[in-house]
Amino acid sequence: MRALLPGAAAALRSARGCSQWPSCGWKGRSFTSIRLSEAQVEAYRRDGFLLPGFQLEVDHLASARRAMDELLERNPDVMPEQLVNSHLADGEGEAQGVRGSAEFLKLASHPPLVELVSQCLGTENVILWACQIFCKLPGEGKAVPFHQDGQYWPIEPLRACTAWIALDRSDAENGALQVLPGTHSKGYVEHIQREDEEACISFIADPEAVAPQRPKATMLELEPGQVSLHDSMLLHGSERNRSRRRRAGVAAVYMPAECHFNREVETEGARKGGLKLDFDKRPLFVVRGSNQNPNNTLLRTL
């Protein structure tokens, strides 16, 4: 297991050393100065992920952690690893039984974060369409076998970026995110049904198809408030939390506003036996620029 690929490590060093990036937080900074280098954007497109060197301000992180604790209390019957649509608060509707919090909508629409996503997607027009909490409790947090998110997403053409925001320290002991670099460019990988009491999903990438890529697995260890970005088709997963520490993070998912969020289509994952998700009432939040596709519905501008 490698901590970082050479290309990713170089990109991270570039982010930390760039004069345009503040060393900590964004208070008092102009959002227009938050720019990835060309090398970083190229690394994202080549590898399918990026550690941009971004870290939330202390107050934003504290607010998100408080909201995380409240979310767990409000949803005692929901698996902590599957707190979907955590950004949809009471009054905006409930999704799959989860009572969300407006605090996570505020977090996912945070301008510096959206700026990074915008550059990775290559557009000034960005829609936030999903936000999920992944919380692995100490000693019992479940594994997430390698899989591709994009197989479940009704986006045409399929272009999306996930910002994974660490609320706790995320490392090898408590089940940090692992990615298989470059797999986003290889199309759909065959997925199979495999039940495992220690895993929180059962429709997973065929282990035989994943095996040749496993030696390249890259673990994305993050401090609280740090962020990783990854492509919708990148194979990724994580191990169980075997530590005495919680590992919680927020996965905010964005798409270019030029794409169509097609509520009528049956997704690749659903066709092949995975989850059949209902997107009929899913609101789309325009967090940067404006909607560019007239077929998109249930739009909300922040």
Side-chain angles (χ1 to χ4, degrees):
M1 179 68 62
R2 292 183 292 177
L4 284 175
L5 286 178
L12 181 57
R13 287 195 299 271
S14 175
R16 286 176 172 168
C18 180
S19 62
Q20 291 178 319
W21 287 78
S23 59
C24 59
W26 298 95
K27 283 187 176 179
R29 303 281 180 165
S30 169
F31 293 156
T32 59
S33 67
I34 304 167
R35 302 297 302 174
L36 295 174
S37 68
E38 290 184 6
Q40 287 175 296
V41 173
E42 173 58 29
Y44 175 83
R45 293 175 180 170
R46 179 190 67 238
D47 300 329
F49 75 98
L50 182 70
L51 297 174
F54 172 81
Q55 189 162 18
L56 288 174
E57 305 94 322
V58 173
D59 55 346
H60 279 79
L61 176 60
S63 295
R65 287 173 63 93
R66 285 193 298 270
M68 170 81 252
D69 294 337
E70 294 168 359
L71 194 70
L72 289 173
E73 290 180 5
R74 286 201 303 273
N75 297 276
D77 299 325
V78 181
M79 188 184 297
E81 294 89 349
Q82 294 185 345
L83 289 163
V84 301
N85 289 342
S86 55
H87 63 311
L88 301 182
D90 293 341
E92 291 183 299
E94 296 182 4
Q96 297 187 22
V98 175
R99 299 176 58 199
S101 168
E103 188 62 40
F104 293 111
L105 177 58
K106 177 181 177 183
L107 174 64
S109 59
H110 192 36
L113 182 62
V114 175
E115 169 71 21
L116 297 175
V117 171
S118 170
Q119 293 171 69
C120 288
L121 289 175
T123 178
E124 291 297 312
N125 305 291
V126 179
I127 286 174
L128 168 74
W129 70 272
C131 187
Q132 179 170 346
I133 297 293
F134 290 92
C135 180
K136 296 186 180 185
L137 299 178
E140 61 181 83
K142 294 180 180 292
V144 184
F146 281 102
H147 64 285
Q148 292 172 309
D149 291 332
Q151 63 176 326
Y152 292 115
W153 295 351
I155 301 170
E156 299 176 342
L158 181 54
R159 292 176 57 208
C161 175
T162 297
W164 205 98
I165 309 157
L167 300 185
D168 304 322
R169 174 170 170 75
S170 181
D171 54 37
E173 289 186 354
N174 65 2
L177 183 68
Q178 298 178 42
V179 299
L180 298 181
T183 52
H184 66 301
S185 62
K186 301 183 184 301
Y188 287 102
V189 173
E190 188 67 28
H191 283 57
I192 63 172
Q193 285 285 354
R194 178 168 292 184
E195 299 293 337
D196 184 347
E197 291 184 356
E198 294 191 351
C200 66
I201 62 173
S202 59
F203 195 60
I204 67 173
D206 186 340
E208 291 187 7
V210 172
Q213 304 291 332
R214 286 299 295 263
K216 299 178 181 179
T218 299
M219 185 168 294
L220 306 185
E221 296 191 328
L222 300 171
E223 294 296 330
Q226 290 185 333
V227 173
S228 66
L229 305 167
H230 68 265
D231 184 272
S232 59
M233 291 301 289
L234 186 72
L235 279 168
H236 63 287
S238 60
E239 299 294 337
R240 286 189 58 200
N241 183 358
R242 303 182 187 278
S243 77
R244 297 182 179 179
R245 296 172 289 116
R246 188 184 74 176
R247 192 227 67 170
V250 181
V253 190
Y254 309 82
M255 59 179 264
E258 291 82 2
C259 294
H260 178 204
F261 193 82
N262 189 349
R263 303 173 191 276
E264 305 299 324
V265 71
E266 184 179 26
T267 65
E268 184 79 7
R271 282 197 299 271
K272 294 186 174 181
L275 292 173
K276 295 183 184 297
L277 302 175
D278 184 0
F279 295 111
D280 284 352
K281 298 180 180 179
R282 180 69 60 88
L284 305 180
F285 295 91
V286 180
V287 293
R288 184 182 178 92
S290 60
N291 177 55
Q292 300 294 301
N293 193 308
N295 295 314
N296 287 331
T297 59
L298 299 183
L299 291 159
R300 302 183 187 182
T301 302
L302 298 179

